[in-house]
Amino acid sequence: MEINKVAIIGAGEMGHGIAELFAMRGYSVNLIDVSQDALQKALQSIRESLGKFVKRGTMTEDSMEGIVSGIRTFTKINEGVNDADLIIEAVPEKMEIKEAVFKEISLYARADAIIGSNTSNIRITELSRSVSNPSRFLGVHFFNPPVIMKLVEIIRGDDTGEVVVNKVYEVIKGLGKVPVKVKKDVAGFIVNRISAPEMLYFCMILDKGIAKPEEVDMFARSQGLPMGPYELMDFVGLDVVYDSMIYYAKEISQDYAKCNTIKHMVEKGYLGRKAGKGFYQWSSGKAIIGSAIPTDKVTLMDVLVLEVNEAVKLIELGVASPDDIETAVKLGLNRPFGPISVAQSMTSSEAKEKLDQLSNEFQCSIFEPAASIRDGKLRDAIGGRLQQSAPKQQPTSQLPEGYKVISVEKVADKIMRISINRPKLNLLNLDVINELDRTIDELWNDRETFVIIITGSGTNFSAGADLSTYFADGVSFMEFSRKGERVFRKLTEIPKIVIASLKGYVLGGGFELALACDIRVSTSSSMMGFPEVTLGLVPGWGGTQRLTRLAGASRAMHMILTGERITGKDSYDIGLVSKLFDDDIDGETLKYARGISSSSAPIAAAMAKKLINKAAEVPEDVGLDLESTAMGVLYGTEDLKEGVSSLLAKRKPIYRGK
Ligand SMILES: NC(=O)c1ccc[n+]([C@@H]2O[C@H](COP(=O)([O-])OP(=O)(O)OC[C@H]3O[C@@H](n4cnc5c(N)ncnc54)[C@H](O)[C@@H]3O)[C@@H](O)[C@H]2O)c1
């Protein structure tokens, strides 16, 4: 797809610069903001910025007018995104604002439009939960000011398509920028992640009263830096700094929450430049820094070794190559060197000694040496030679392999899809039952899986058991039935949420498979029923029991004794199906699964499933007893603490299944 029209949402500090950049390169730009005032200021700033080129004689007045008039402004997202090929979100770094914006974009943008976020820290996969079809969603992280700064981090979320990453990479290159691919989606990506430990270090220097802001900033200036760390924090906004530390505390380590001084300053409204007061008084956009003697309590080595350490951790995690990290930090922080060239002049033991000292002094695990530094492999790490001995990888799900009649794939974070894949309407034979059995076992203890979707490939779920299979005698036919019963029973017991996504024929054994799942969603036109009795059999994989429990004896009698088929819509009306999805059953089921995986606590959900299933099997007093036991178990989980604290903080919970 050609990218011609770009929509930018948020016309603030970043959005107006990104709009200017695209407009300068001839793209037609829709600039969207809830505030008409912000849009007017944005156009004014763009005009002033372009005016500098006119003054220098590198742009004519006519070209400037042409560029400005190529930017159309909107106060409504629906009007601004509906014809865009590429949409870039640059609204404030608040999860709830971004989520609402992505939901609206998803409603009104073209289905093939690429959607990017300019977020500074928030993991792309986390944001992608609010985007329909997240394979077209990625991070496009510009640096401030976008027109000047060369670096753009291109971040792939867990679900981002390769084609989308490459397309946007080329577009950004075409803008004259240097795109760097961030291969793994971690909080803070490359540049902000590498700066995070030193930011924490300067927070702790304050909290511990080791030095005053002006003494540290004087020291920084004496080392040739244009701005000291506290002046920089004031410049960026102390609220922005604090929010990012709290996000890192949640995503990386609680150590990041050790920033009390900044917390108190934010509470008092001392937000830095924008409030006129932070660490310093600000006047006409400049900090008034009183004279001070540069501190000798901080050394450049302290700061640089923390950068090197974090860079090595990113290499170990496979987030980016050493070369890309060096480029990103140089261009993103506007410095002549990055952490990789700093590390060239350090030995593993020097780095380790300094990091051990810092982590002990500040009682901070973030400052502990990365595994490669600890193991004397700093050279290998920065030389890109860690592949064979890669230490400490993030735990990843082991995808089950080697299936012939089903396919098993990870379709989103924590969501697996099992598709029955057989000729002739996905008929179920012993191979399917055995492979289902194996995959259920493999996923049983997989902490990376929370929701399992079961569906059929093509247009049908499954038209039933394959009765053309040869059975030597009644006993082997009985064993075939018992095997299916055992496997379907496992679906009711696996501590994951299992969703049957139904379409086309859902008959006989296929219907029994659907009934063994926890939740059924369907198209309205799917056909469900039990033809067994009309063939001289009975439903043999739990159908007589489960349909009776789910739909009542009377309806089960009718359906099983007559073999009459009912539609997905009829099933919905009698409560067998929970949701009808007619437009895009696969996409809508995935969205529904994401809804569960992003908002429900996994252990609580698994226990609720068990209790609901038990309700049909045990006397009420036993069920109630099981319920109170479950409450006792859940009381000790981290997820419960997260649930309550997120409720109080009015934010979305992030459950870890612990
Ligand atoms: N400022 C930086 O230095 C910088 C650098 C890189 C990335 N970022 C990231 O870029 C994003 C934007 O930051 P910023 O500094 O430009 O913020 P900003 O506050 O300057 O601008 C945000 C704009 O979004 C608008 N807005 C708010 N809600 C909206 C909605 N629902 N729909 C449309 N517009 C809405 C606001 O009116 C405002 O004009 C953030 O995610 C931030 O982390 C910022």
Side-chain angles (χ1 to χ4, degrees), residues 331-353:
L331 298 181
L333 298 181
N334 219 355
R335 282 195 335 211
F337 57 84
I340 305 301
S341 48
V342 171
Q344 311 282 8
S345 59
M346 259 179 215
T347 64
S348 289
S349 51
E350 280 165 352
K352 179 177 177 308
E353 192 181 326

Side-chain angles (χ1 to χ4, degrees), residues 525-652:
S525 59
S526 62
M527 294 302 299
M528 302 179 199
F530 281 129
E532 281 85 346
V533 170
T534 64
L535 301 170
L537 288 169
V538 292
W541 284 333
T544 57
Q545 305 303 296
R546 291 200 180 95
L547 182 63
T548 308
R549 283 182 192 143
L550 290 167
S554 179
R555 194 161 323 249
M557 282 289 180
H558 173 75
M559 283 186 73
I560 292 173
L561 298 185
T562 64
E564 189 179 292
R565 296 173 183 181
I566 60 171
T567 62
K569 169 79 174 64
D570 296 334
S571 286
Y572 176 76
D573 290 341
I574 61 172
L576 273 183
V577 157
S578 303
K579 289 273 175 192
L580 290 178
F581 297 137
D582 281 322
D583 288 339
D584 165 19
I585 178 83
D586 292 340
E588 290 296 318
T589 307
L590 180 56
K591 213 160 141 191
Y592 179 71
R594 273 178 188 286
I596 296 176
S597 72
S598 65
S599 55
S600 299
I603 307 175
M607 286 205 167
K609 160 179 173 165
K610 201 180 176 93
L611 291 167
I612 294 165
N613 285 335
K614 284 286 169 217
E617 296 173 5
V618 300
E620 190 176 279
D621 61 332
V622 177
L624 291 176
D625 216 29
L626 290 171
E627 200 176 75
S628 0
T629 309
M631 293 289 275
V633 171
L634 291 170
Y635 188 73
T637 61
E638 285 178 23
D639 282 353
L640 173 63
K641 290 181 199 118
E642 167 64 9
V644 174
S645 53
S646 66
L647 181 74
L648 295 176
K650 296 195 177 130
R651 62 170 171 80
K652 262 193 113 168

Side-chain angles (χ1 to χ4, degrees), residues 200-441:
L200 174 62
Y201 169 77
F202 287 116
C203 289
M204 289 176 154
I205 292 271
L206 282 187
D207 286 0
K208 288 178 175 287
I210 292 172
K212 294 196 178 122
E214 54 274 27
E215 293 168 346
V216 174
D217 283 352
M218 282 299 164
F219 164 76
R221 287 191 179 209
S222 73
Q223 299 297 309
L225 294 175
M227 241 188 221
Y230 300 106
E231 187 182 354
L232 184 63
M233 288 189 217
D234 258 7
F235 185 81
V236 171
L238 293 188
D239 51 339
V240 173
V241 172
Y242 180 67
D243 284 350
S244 66
M245 299 306 270
I246 293 308
Y247 182 66
Y248 295 145
K250 187 167 61 91
E251 283 291 314
I252 306 170
S253 161
Q254 269 305 314
D255 278 348
Y256 278 107
K258 296 175 182 171
C259 47
N260 283 327
T261 308
I262 292 192
K263 179 173 184 245
H264 293 140
M265 290 177 73
V266 171
E267 282 165 359
K268 285 188 200 147
Y270 297 156
L271 304 183
R273 182 181 59 137
K274 62 183 146 192
K277 177 159 176 49
F279 292 113
Y280 305 110
Q281 295 283 351
W282 285 74
S283 154
S284 332
K286 287 210 160 63
I288 305 164
I289 306 177
S291 62
I293 299 169
T295 182
D296 59 359
K297 302 282 189 321
V298 170
T299 70
L300 205 53
M301 174 69 172
D302 293 339
V303 178
L304 293 179
V305 79
L306 290 176
E307 284 188 9
V308 167
N309 196 34
E310 201 62 20
V312 170
K313 288 182 192 170
L314 291 187
I315 295 168
E316 290 173 357
L317 288 170
V319 173
S321 67
D323 281 352
D324 279 352
I325 289 177
E326 178 76 2
T327 305
V329 173
K330 273 163 70 171
L331 298 181
L333 298 181
N334 219 355
R335 282 195 335 211
F337 57 84
I340 305 301
S341 48
V342 171
Q344 311 282 8
S345 59
M346 259 179 215
T347 64
S348 289
S349 51
E350 280 165 352
K352 179 177 177 308
E353 192 181 326
K354 189 78 206 162
L355 289 162
D356 281 341
Q357 183 219 315
L358 287 171
S359 61
N360 282 334
E361 183 183 344
F362 290 92
Q363 287 297 299
C364 179
S365 63
I366 295 295
F367 301 164
E368 285 170 8
S372 310
I373 295 177
R374 197 189 54 222
D375 298 345
K377 291 187 178 153
L378 177 59
R379 285 279 153 276
D380 289 339
I382 61 172
R385 293 185 298 275
L386 278 186
Q387 282 83 353
Q388 291 87 28
S389 54
K392 254 200 192 169
Q393 289 285 340
Q394 290 267 31
T396 54
S397 176
Q398 284 293 316
L399 291 189
E401 286 173 353
Y403 292 105
K404 292 204 288 284
V405 285
I406 64 171
S407 63
V408 183
E409 55 180 333
K410 179 171 180 170
V411 282
D413 192 25
K414 302 210 178 306
I415 304 174
M416 299 291 280
R417 180 164 54 210
I418 302 173
S419 303
I420 302 158
N421 190 5
R422 283 208 69 214
K424 290 198 194 159
L425 311 172
N426 294 324
L427 293 182
L428 307 176
N429 63 5
L430 199 54
D431 290 341
V432 177
I433 299 295
N434 284 334
E435 290 191 2
L436 274 177
D437 193 16
R438 201 186 114 201
T439 196
I440 295 167
D441 286 348

